[in-house]
Amino acid sequence: MGTRQAWLLFAASSFLVSVPVFVQAPLVRLLPGLSLVMTIGWVWLGITLMRRDSTKLWGDLLLGFSWSWLAGSIYWGWWRWEPTIHLPIEAIGLPFALWCISKRWGMVGNLFYLGSLFGTAVTDIYFYIAGLIPHWRTLMQVAPSEASLVFQTAIAQVKTPWGAGWAMVLLGVLLGVGLVPLRSRQLHWWAFGGAVLSTILVDSLFWLAASMA
């Protein structure tokens, strides 16, 4: 069983994974430059919180989150119509995160970032396997009034035996990778697990919204 702090960190990690999807995505379409500049604010806040022992954990988490925010600003602001470079842009902070982990610095934030990136990779893999990439491109180019038709076509493809079968396989991967770290007493693994498992929630909400479109 995790401690109260571990569960709080798990909840915060889950929340931060949903922020780029439900808050940043609408902002970045209207004001991509502002979203990009806001990365500096997240970094500043993270560093400020890390200077105090009482808030060091949350500052660490925000620094990891700043990589996700930066990548989201770049991709959804200027490259959203090209899904093939989505994952490479999302991985912009990967070399730095791996270097920090090798030095045992910023473990909470960097493992949160890796968990978020892993969830993104699994989701993107599903889009390729299920043949949803053309729908992605179309959705990024059509007017909002025409988006419902694109969603309906994509959902029909997801509901095929092939699409549903692979959805279950990758769901199992996310559950396995996300739940195992929660057995650890180390807080940074709870940040990783929270980021991975929240991918399931975000994808489910997106699927629900698309189904209702």
Side-chain angles (χ1 to χ4, degrees):
M1 292 292 291
T3 63
R4 180 175 179 273
Q5 191 175 40
W7 282 111
L8 285 174
L9 182 60
F10 176 88
S13 298
S14 301
F15 172 75
L16 288 178
V17 167
S18 68
V19 168
V21 178
F22 299 109
V23 177
Q24 186 183 29
L27 170 65
V28 81
R29 282 196 174 223
L30 298 174
L31 300 167
L34 174 61
S35 180
L36 186 63
V37 171
M38 284 178 66
T39 305
I40 300 173
W42 291 121
V43 173
W44 173 82
L45 181 58
I47 293 174
T48 300
L49 292 175
M50 281 195 75
R51 290 174 178 169
R52 301 178 182 178
D53 290 338
S54 60
T55 57
K56 183 177 181 180
L57 176 68
W58 310 113
D60 191 348
L61 181 62
L62 281 179
L63 284 178
F65 168 72
S66 67
W67 282 116
S68 297
W69 186 274
L70 172 64
S73 297
I74 296 172
Y75 179 76
W76 296 108
W78 291 278
W79 299 97
R80 58 182 176 269
W81 55 83
E82 185 45 70
T84 57
I85 61 172
H86 177 230
L87 194 57
I89 291 178
E90 288 289 344
I92 189 172
L94 184 58
F96 180 79
L98 293 176
W99 181 81
C100 288
I101 289 173
S102 71
K103 301 297 181 180
R104 306 293 296 179
W105 185 88
M107 293 292 288
V108 169
N110 286 303
L111 277 169
F112 162 81
Y113 171 68
L114 290 185
S116 177
L117 183 61
F118 179 82
T120 298
V122 170
T123 301
D124 280 19
I125 288 171
Y126 179 75
F127 269 73
Y128 280 101
I129 291 175
L132 298 175
I133 294 299
H135 300 295
W136 181 330
R137 288 195 177 99
T138 302
L139 186 63
M140 293 300 111
Q141 297 175 14
V142 301
S145 59
E146 302 174 16
S148 59
L149 181 60
V150 180
F151 279 130
Q152 290 169 13
T153 306
I155 289 298
Q157 201 156 329
V158 170
K159 290 181 178 179
T160 62
W162 176 263
W166 274 106
M168 295 304 296
V169 169
L170 295 180
L171 173 61
V173 171
L174 288 172
L175 285 172
V177 174
L179 288 173
V180 170
L182 303 189
R183 299 177 181 178
S184 174
R185 294 178 179 273
Q186 296 178 309
L187 291 176
H188 49 261
W189 287 117
W190 283 73
F192 177 86
V196 172
L197 292 176
S198 61
T199 302
I200 300 172
L201 175 62
V202 171
D203 287 350
S204 298
L205 291 174
F206 180 79
W207 181 86
L208 180 62
S211 300
M212 297 174 63

